Amino acid sequence: MSTVRNILFIMCDQLRWDYLSCNGHPHLETPHIDSLAAKGINFTEAFVQSPLCGPSRMSFLTGRYVHSHGATWNGVPLSVGQTNIGDFMRPFGLRCALVGKTHMEPDKEGMERLGIDRMSHLGVQTEQCGLEPVERDDGLWPDKLVDPHYAYNKYLKSKGYDGDNPWHDWANAAEGPNGEILSGWYLDSNHLPARVKEEDSETPYMTGRAIEFMKEQGNNPFLLHLSYIKPHWPYIVPAPYHNLYGHNKILPAVRSERERENPHPVISAHMKHPESLNFSIDEVRNNVLPAYMGLIKQIDDQMGRLFSWMEAAGRMADTLIVFTSDHGDYLGDHWLGEKEMLHDCSVRVPMIIYDPDSAADKTRGTKNETLVESLDVIPTFLDVMGGMNDKEHLLEGKSLLRTLRGDQKSELRDAVFAEIDYSFKPARKYTEKQPYEARGYMIRTRLWKYLLWEGFEPQLFDLNSDPNEFNDLGRSPTHSKIRMELHERLFHWLRTRATRTTISEATVRQRTGGAPKTGIIIGEWSPDETIKGDPESGYWVE
Amino acid sequence: MSTVRNILFIMCDQLRWDYLSCNGHPHLETPHIDSLAAKGINFTEAFVQSPLCGPSRMSFLTGRYVHSHGATWNGVPLSVGQTNIGDFMRPFGLRCALVGKTHMEPDKEGMERLGIDRMSHLGVQTEQCGLEPVERDDGLWPDKLVDPHYAYNKYLKSKGYDGDNPWHDWANAAEGPNGEILSGWYLDSNHLPARVKEEDSETPYMTGRAIEFMKEQGNNPFLLHLSYIKPHWPYIVPAPYHNLYGHNKILPAVRSERERENPHPVISAHMKHPESLNFSIDEVRNNVLPAYMGLIKQIDDQMGRLFSWMEAAGRMADTLIVFTSDHGDYLGDHWLGEKEMLHDCSVRVPMIIYDPDSAADKTRGTKNETLVESLDVIPTFLDVMGGMNDKEHLLEGKSLLRTLRGDQKSELRDAVFAEIDYSFKPARKYTEKQPYEARGYMIRTRLWKYLLWEGFEPQLFDLNSDPNEFNDLGRSPTHSKIRMELHERLFHWLRTRATRTTISEATVRQRTGGAPKTGIIIGEWSPDETIKGDPESGYWVE
């Protein structure tokens, strides 16, 4: 009997896998996140299915690859036909709730086509990817988009922060020498403290909302997706977090001159974006990275607050906790900014899982190099709650429960896959591609990373001899065999996708050869002789 | 200004492309279908997306490949998330109706999840693939499945045919010498006439229902899917059609001893099914083929009736007509029965399109060797009604309208694609495959057919030197280059599927690089300098 009654699924936004002390950052101490790792398993080889908020999160929240769910970029709606985390988990009696960000874009056209009232309970559930929006906040509120009902702005106003959009003017802006508002969108002000008081900034606010939810929930079981907006843009953090880290604490960009010499056309196009040009300038990094690290440090402190509340409330004893991120951040590595390409700093994420059940005692505090995909999260949740519920045909990941409980004998997988649709970026124009062809695919094993770029040569990296991914072997004549092998594996992966979504594997098995049971008789000669001239054949029933 | 106001989309079931006199059958005269070809274009190289009713029809009715719509086999529901022919065509003011078969299996689970009442107007529309079921009849009614409300049975009963299931006992059974009912399911009685009177059998009945619908419709525009059950199983036809063709009118099976020597494992597994064993026996063919041909002859006569009614009613002047089939029939070719494998006799179908508009006058009566896919039907309908309606991102085929009107200058495509999921067949067990891996893919150009069978060697046929597909070059050492080429093309095809269903290509183009317009600013240094240190860069707006 499992002790797990609740699930807390914590996600950060744009948190690199290696910006935690438990994952080796030499200057950024994250003792509270580390404490979760000490209680659980730290999966050090975890990957997302796309290095961008929307598609990555839709993979986390549906358990399906981007090719299968179709929401390939931010703002691309998740088809109403996709099954979501709420659909999977509610049957176990969990209240499935959201505090923070999902980047879910509802399929309004599909909903209209199917007559789903957006204001109904079901409509809200469908629009929110199956999660009750206790607090939905995607954290990007420029003046042009700000919602007059936006809850965090209401909170800020109630605390006396003025203006129409205190999210921007206080929480995501600094102040100039003459009191002028310096927008946190611009990197030049990221070294300054945000104008908001620390306790009123987004990360503590969301933590408070999560604690309130759990209080309200009492002993009623829940799945809570606590999904922080930070350390994502705007890179700005209130005092004292804004200047905890001096320039000597900033790790140098992982980049090589060689990468600029004859870059792959898709990489080259991305190098032309402003974020890449700016993050390639050391003074910009020096301005921004202390804020990025400060935002993470603030999250860590909030994890301390959250976990001690949970400890006191008894929730650490009955709650499975996942701590992860939706993707990383280039921060100037490889002469790139943002995410969206497929280097490890972008597709690799922290993945710490704490299982309170005593069956997991033998794995506590271990690091685990199993290749993990974001797709594994929902199967793990299903498994810990009692089973896959006949949903394997929809889910493309694997449960980590046996690993958590030390019972996984064989390798879970030997490769992970990711995809990117860069058709919304200027890079598409630079590369002269049509929207449907601006696509890239990754297969990454322990030893190799192969990237297929539609319409271009592939890229290949030897992760063993070149863990920094500096040396692109995409055109290396001596590597054609491994390229062909990985290319074929990508094809195999694509052609075995879970596209048959409306019928379970078990039902298929049951029905195989089962037509005669329905009375539909195909191709038999007579009631006595299935095959003409062969009386023995009369017994043919599959 | 197009004169086309209505669409009549006629489909037969299991009608081989070459069993029409206009397509070269030497003994089976089909003057009425030929007359349609004489008024329109006869597309002689048309292919379905899967050689099986359900998946093929779902491709016709959604405009999407099987990989994209997911309904891979009979009885696999079409996901509620898929857009259907009604969704596409109703916006043009057409009443979209069905008389006959669709093999649509509703996604009851998805409908329940989304709160769609099955009894509501919308529910019925969703369950019927967007077509108002004036008469829905999938034509397979063994006693175990028969619906007490089944309309055709009611009709038969009203005509005095007795028993609980006159569909079986009269329309699909013959009579033995002592008055016993001989089921048409069994091939041994297929040479006998069905017990039903000819005018009460399924084909004339459905034709009558179509005419009634058009009468009722008057001058109100419609799309009618008139979808015959025949010449599909049970192969049985009333007099006089049962014995119009003597054994000397039956074409020999297209097969070679060589094919049985060392067959491909998937073919070999299918050769073990009863339909294959029986159709490999000439006496069985002699018993069944006259009925198969008679059923086609009856359809042709009903086409005569239909077209002359339409002529008299003025409908030939304002109705675009498509005549096609959902797949072919092996009839013993290649030592196989039924369909389901990927030889031309199974995946190639008749495709005759009549466009009443005078713009099409210059192509009337022509044969056209353009490679056509079943996916082209919906885009053609949209195009003739006024445009793609911003739906290109969902549709994987191409409009044939320019071809119909003689304006298509370049080749429409140079290859067609099909898929088969054989996981429901005994062959899956014989080949020891799991349901998710019992899959095959076809790419067929004018010169080559390449079949990829998951977990097995591929097959390759040189259609130029071996149009009968006897000589499998799947392992031929001298053909590795062409196999690799076609293999890669299949991969390319799969990775450029229309999986991003919720946003149009036009919207993507509009949004490319458009974030600054929303106020979301990514990666810029300051309001004046997009790139630090470069004042000129301040003008960067995509």
Side-chain angles (χ1 to χ4, degrees), chain A residues 67 70 72 75-77 79-83 87 107 109 113-116 122 126 140 142 144-145 185-188 233 274-275 277-278 281 283-284 287 338 391 421 423-426 428-430 434-436 439 441 452 454 484 487-488 490-492 494-497 499-503 505 508-509 511-513 516-527 530-532 540 542, chain B residues 67 70 72 75-77 79-83 87 107 109 113-116 122 126 140 142 144-145 185-188 233 274-275 277-278 281 283-284 287 338 391 421 423-426 428-430 434-436 439 441 452 454 484 487-488 490-492 494-497 499-503 505 508-509 511-513 516-527 530-532 540 542:
Chain A
H67 182 84
T72 61
V76 175
S79 164
V80 80
Q82 296 290 324
T83 309
D87 299 319
D107 176 10
E109 218 174 292
R113 182 168 57 81
L114 298 173
I116 302 168
L122 182 77
T126 306
L140 286 177
K144 290 175 192 172
L145 298 181
W185 286 116
Y186 293 105
L187 305 175
D188 70 346
W233 309 75
E275 65 271 16
L277 294 171
N278 277 319
I281 299 168
E283 299 98 291
V284 174
N287 221 48
E338 276 277 83
K391 292 286 189 284
D421 167 6
S423 60
F424 292 80
K425 290 290 275 191
R428 176 175 73 75
K429 295 186 179 173
Y430 304 156
Q434 299 304 315
Y436 67 86
R439 301 184 187 183
Y441 297 87
L452 187 162
E454 208 55 62
M484 278 173 62
H487 189 82
E488 178 57 27
L490 259 184
F491 184 16
H492 178 266
L494 207 51
R495 64 187 195 249
T496 50
R497 284 310 83 237
T499 53
R500 186 175 57 204
T501 57
T502 53
I503 199 165
E505 291 281 294
V508 178
R509 278 176 224 282
R511 289 197 194 165
T512 298
K517 288 169 210 151
T518 63
I520 294 176
I521 297 156
I522 299 289
E524 301 194 21
W525 176 249
S526 75
T530 292
I531 314 301
K532 178 171 162 60
W540 194 85
E542 268 300 320
Chain B
H67 183 83
T72 61
V76 175
S79 164
V80 80
Q82 295 291 324
T83 308
D87 299 320
D107 176 11
E109 219 175 291
R113 181 167 57 79
L114 297 173
I116 302 169
L122 180 79
T126 307
L140 287 177
K144 291 176 192 172
L145 297 182
W185 287 117
Y186 293 104
L187 305 176
D188 69 346
W233 308 76
E275 64 271 17
L277 294 171
N278 277 321
I281 299 167
E283 299 97 294
V284 175
N287 220 48
E338 276 276 85
K391 292 285 190 285
D421 165 7
S423 60
F424 291 81
K425 289 291 276 191
R428 176 174 74 75
K429 295 186 180 173
Y430 303 157
Q434 299 303 316
Y436 67 88
R439 302 186 187 182
Y441 297 88
L452 187 162
E454 208 54 63
M484 276 173 64
H487 189 81
E488 178 58 25
L490 260 185
F491 183 14
H492 177 266
L494 206 51
R495 64 187 194 249
T496 50
R497 284 310 84 237
T499 54
R500 186 176 56 202
T501 56
T502 54
I503 199 165
E505 291 282 293
V508 178
R509 276 176 225 283
R511 288 195 194 166
T512 298
K517 289 170 209 150
T518 63
I520 293 175
I521 297 156
I522 299 288
E524 301 193 20
W525 176 249
S526 75
T530 292
I531 314 302
K532 180 173 160 59
W540 193 84
E542 267 301 319

Side-chain angles (χ1 to χ4, degrees), chain B residues 168-180:
Chain B
H168 178 265
D169 295 352
W170 292 91
N172 288 282
E175 210 165 287
N178 305 312
E180 65 271 34

